[in-house]
Amino acid sequence: MGNSSYKARLENAPIVVIVGGGFVGTKVAKALDSHFNVLLIDRKNYFFNNVAALRACVQPGFVNHILVPYDKLLKNGHIVQAEVSEVSPDGFIRLHGREEPIKYDYLVITTGTAYAFPCKVAEPNIQNVPARYEEIQREIHSANDITIIGGGPVGCELAGEIHDRYPDKKITLVHSQAELCPGPVNAEFKNRLRRLIESLPNVRLILQERVVLEGELSQKSSSFLPGNRKIRTDKGTEIDTDLILFCVGAKVNNKSYKTSFAQVMDESGRLKVNAKLQVEGYNNVFALGDCANVKEIKMAYYGGLQAAAVAKNLKELHANGRMKDYVVNPTLMSVPIGSKKGVTQLPIGKDGKVVGNFLTSAIKGKGLFIGQTCSELNQPVPKELANVHDQSDKIKEGDAQLFNMTEEDLIELKKGLPIDATDDDHT
C-alpha cells in the first residue's frame, strides 16, 4: 500500500535534478523528496563534512566521523554517483559515461567550491579517503616547524587544531593581508582572533607578507609539502620549516555549466541569481550556496538557510503560488581554535556581537556539527568507516517511469558512473 500511494502521489510530479550533494544540495533534496521526483547527483558516493575535516588531520580515527553515507537521506528520490559533464538550461544535463541526457523540469545547482585538501576532498570513493588523512596525520606528527600559508578561517582553524593536539610544535601562520579572516566581520572579531592566535605558545603570526613561490613551491602538486627547507616572503623574512600546508585557493565548481551559463556568471565564476535565488533569466533553474553570487559569507549555515528558501519557492513556483524574496542575513562567523578556544561573531545588534572561547567551543569547536549533520542525513554518528553499498536494489516499482527511464537504465545509473578522480573540479 505504501508503494502504491507513493506512485499515485508522485507519478505526475515534475522531475527535480539537483547537482551537488554537499550541505546545501542534500537539504534541498530532503525538503523536496515528498513533493517531486528528486534526482540528486554527486561525484562522491558519500557525504563529506568539511566543517569538521581539519580535526581529522591530527586526531586518529576522526575521519570516520566526517564521511557519511547518503543511503538514508531520501525515502522516495534517488542519489546517483556520477560526474556531470554538461548542465544545459534547455531542460537536460549530461553525465560522463552516459550517452542519453537526463531531463529535468526544475534544476537546482549546488556545486559549491573546490578547496585544497585537507579542507575538502575530491576522492569519489569513501574507502580511499582515510588513507589521505592518515598520511597528513603522519606528516604533522613527525614535523617540528610547520608553516601554514593562508590566514582565512581554514588556515586559522588548522593552526588551532595542530596546536591543540601538539602544543610544543612550532607553527608559523603567514597571511598576505593586514587582517585575519578578511570579509564582512567586524573589527572586534578580527582583533580578538589575532590576539588569540598571537597568544598561543610556539605560534608565530606573519601578516602583510606573501611567501615567494619559487622552485618546489611553484611546482607543488599537493596541498602540503614535507621536507626541511628555508622559505622567504616578499619582504625578505626567512622561515625554517619542515612541513608546509597551503590553505588558499578556493575555486567555484563550475566546469559543467561555465559554457552554457557563461552569460549569467560573475567575474568570480559564480552564477548570478535574482532575489528568489533563480538563475537570472531562467525561471526553472535555481542556484545557491558557494556557487551563487548571494551576498553572504560562503558557509554551510547560510547555505542551509538558502536551501530552505529555494525548497519553498520551488513548491510555490510549481503551484503557481507566490515566491518570496530571500533576505540576506546578518553575519555569523565562528572560528574555533582547537576544541576549547575561538572567536565568534553572532548576528546580534547592528554590527554583531563578538564572543570568545566558551561560546565558540559550545557553538562549534567541541562538536563541529557532527551529530547535527548525521541527523540531517538520517544517520547515526559513525564510529567506524561506513560501508557504501550498491543502491541499485533500492528501486521501487514504477520509479523508472517517473524519471522517464527504463528500469534497467535506472538500475545502471544507481550503480554509479565513471569518475575522473584527478579532476580538481568537484562536480
Side-chain angles (χ1 to χ4, degrees):
M1 180 177 178
N3 189 42
S4 61
S5 63
Y6 151 75
K7 287 198 299 178
R9 187 173 69 252
L10 296 180
E11 63 181 353
N12 296 316
I15 296 172
V16 177
V17 170
I18 302 170
V19 182
F23 281 97
V24 182
T26 52
K27 286 182 181 291
V28 176
K30 188 176 181 180
L32 297 180
D33 188 37
S34 298
H35 305 272
F36 299 91
N37 292 304
V38 173
L39 195 66
L40 174 64
I41 302 172
D42 195 273
R43 70 192 304 276
K44 304 184 305 300
N45 63 358
Y46 60 95
F47 178 91
F48 179 75
N49 182 357
N50 62 283
V51 173
L54 298 178
R55 192 158 296 168
C57 298
V58 295
Q59 185 170 321
F62 193 83
V63 66
N64 297 334
H65 296 331
I66 66 174
L67 309 176
V68 189
Y70 285 123
D71 61 331
K72 295 181 180 178
L73 174 65
L74 303 180
K75 294 181 179 179
N76 302 318
H78 295 281
I79 300 169
V80 171
Q81 182 188 12
E83 191 165 353
V84 179
S85 57
E86 180 187 357
V87 176
S88 171
D90 298 323
F92 68 88
I93 66 167
R94 294 187 184 277
L95 304 180
H96 177 64
R98 175 185 166 90
E99 292 186 7
E100 285 295 314
I102 294 177
K103 297 179 180 179
Y104 63 81
D105 297 295
Y106 299 101
L107 175 67
V108 181
I109 303 175
T110 62
T111 51
T113 50
Y115 200 90
F117 177 81
C119 183
K120 292 189 177 181
V121 179
E123 174 55 54
N125 190 333
I126 191 173
Q127 300 297 331
N128 297 333
V129 179
R132 300 284 307 278
Y133 282 93
E134 289 165 5
E135 179 187 10
I136 198 168
Q137 285 172 21
R138 289 192 297 269
E139 296 294 352
I140 291 173
H141 179 77
S142 61
N144 294 306
D145 294 283
I146 299 170
T147 300
I148 298 173
I149 299 176
V154 174
C156 292
E157 288 191 34
L158 183 56
E161 292 294 341
I162 296 173
H163 181 269
D164 207 26
R165 184 78 177 183
Y166 301 107
D168 294 331
K169 291 186 184 295
K170 295 180 181 178
I171 301 170
T172 302
L173 178 60
V174 186
H175 189 50
S176 62
Q177 301 188 40
E179 299 172 317
L180 295 169
C181 292
V185 287
N186 64 33
E188 183 185 357
F189 176 94
K190 296 176 182 179
N191 290 334
R192 287 183 67 166
L193 181 60
R194 176 176 178 169
R195 291 197 300 269
L196 176 56
I197 294 287
E198 290 178 330
S199 73
L200 299 176
N202 299 313
V203 175
R204 176 189 184 191
L205 178 62
I206 299 176
L207 295 174
Q208 292 184 280
E209 298 189 36
R210 189 182 301 272
V211 172
V212 178
L213 300 179
E214 56 187 4
E216 289 180 288
L217 297 185
S218 65
Q219 301 172 5
K220 68 180 181 71
S221 57
S222 175
S223 54
F224 61 94
L225 189 61
N228 289 291
R229 57 179 52 80
K230 187 186 293 289
I231 60 175
R232 63 183 182 87
T233 72
D234 56 352
K235 295 186 178 178
T237 302
E238 293 187 338
I239 304 167
D240 292 312
T241 184
D242 55 8
L243 177 62
I244 302 173
L245 299 164
F246 297 90
C247 295
V248 294
K251 181 179 75 68
V252 180
N253 291 322
N254 59 19
K255 186 176 72 170
S256 59
Y257 53 83
K258 67 180 179 182
T259 299
S260 52
F261 284 93
Q263 73 279 11
V264 287
M265 292 174 64
D266 67 14
E267 63 280 356
S268 67
R270 291 185 166 90
L271 290 162
K272 298 177 182 178
V273 296
N274 62 22
K276 310 296 191 295
L277 301 181
Q278 296 162 297
V279 175
E280 291 183 358
Y282 299 98
N283 192 52
N284 66 332
V285 181
F286 294 80
L288 58 158
D290 288 7
C291 69
N293 72 332
V294 183
K295 303 303 180 184
E296 287 180 325
I297 296 177
K298 303 306 178 185
M299 290 171 49
Y301 169 75
Y302 291 107
L305 298 178
Q306 294 169 29
V310 163
K312 291 178 181 178
N313 277 346
L314 204 155
K315 294 174 190 176
E316 289 293 327
L317 176 63
H318 178 60
N320 295 316
R322 183 176 181 180
M323 294 189 292
K324 293 184 179 181
D325 288 354
Y326 178 73
V327 178
V328 174
N329 294 276
T331 296
L332 167 65
M333 171 70 83
S334 185
V335 179
I337 303 300
S339 62
K340 297 179 181 179
K341 297 180 180 180
V343 180
T344 296
Q345 179 174 319
L346 299 171
I348 298 174
K350 181 181 177 181
D351 299 317
K353 179 177 178 60
V354 178
V355 296
N357 295 337
F358 178 78
L359 283 179
T360 301
S361 176
I363 292 168
K364 183 180 178 183
K366 184 177 180 180
L368 297 173
F369 306 120
I370 289 172
Q372 178 182 337
T373 300
C374 291
S375 177
E376 287 282 343
L377 293 163
N378 301 318
Q379 297 277 4
V381 176
K383 296 180 180 179
E384 56 186 25
L385 184 64
N387 289 315
V388 175
H389 301 288
D390 179 4
Q391 298 296 305
S392 59
D393 60 345
K394 293 190 176 183
I395 296 175
K396 303 182 185 76
E397 181 183 353
D399 277 10
Q401 290 88 336
L402 298 177
F403 291 96
N404 299 317
M405 300 179 189
T406 66
E407 186 171 336
E408 292 76 12
D409 198 18
L410 184 55
I411 288 173
E412 287 302 311
L413 193 60
K414 290 276 288 181
K415 289 180 178 179
L417 294 174
I419 304 292
D420 181 3
T422 63
D423 195 341
D424 64 356
D425 190 287
H426 298 183
T427 48

